Amino acid sequence: MKQTVLILIVSILVGFGGGYLFYQGKASSAESRQTAAQPKAEAPAAETKQTTAQDGDSIFKKKQCLTCHAVSKLGLQGGTTGPDLSEAYKNVEGKHGKPIEEFLKAPTSAVMSGVMKGNPLTDDERAQILAALKQASEK
């Protein structure tokens, strides 16, 4: 019985991992084709601004967070595999033992550490996500 349960768990993890890798490949190919067709935009000016739902939508879509998560307080619908991130800014430390800034650099959950390893965040992307999650937690 234990062996059957172990085989089931391993099969599920392999299935999710394979699906994630497959999806990543499809998304990367589509992004590279789209990027090649568009002229390069100038670098944005370094200014502080209020994050809007559209900004959050953009970074969460770019990094494919909405594949598994939603951020309902920002009106961002997404997957249901992962938890809604509306309160993540406040709750991650209590749930995962480290502040959200550190969690986004080195997640403590097995699933997220695998996801982040294959799709790491730059400092700018991390700042955008933190700003959007902070805004969501304040609504």
Side-chain angles (χ1 to χ4, degrees), residues 41-65:
E42 289 185 32
E47 62 182 61
T48 306
K49 65 173 188 162
Q50 176 93 16
T51 301
T52 65
Q54 185 176 1
D55 295 334
D57 185 37
S58 175
I59 187 64
F60 290 122
K61 279 184 179 176
K62 176 183 175 190
K63 297 309 287 185
Q64 301 170 352
C65 304

Side-chain angles (χ1 to χ4, degrees), residues 74-91:
L74 294 179
L76 303 176
Q77 301 303 312
T80 57
T81 304
D84 185 308
L85 299 178
S86 295
E87 296 297 323
Y89 192 82
K90 297 177 189 174
N91 299 338

Side-chain angles (χ1 to χ4, degrees), residues 81-104:
T81 304
D84 185 308
L85 299 178
S86 295
E87 296 297 323
Y89 192 82
K90 297 177 189 174
N91 299 338
V92 165
E93 186 167 5
K95 193 172 183 180
H96 296 283
K98 57 170 63 175
I100 189 165
E101 296 88 349
E102 295 301 314
F103 180 83
L104 290 173

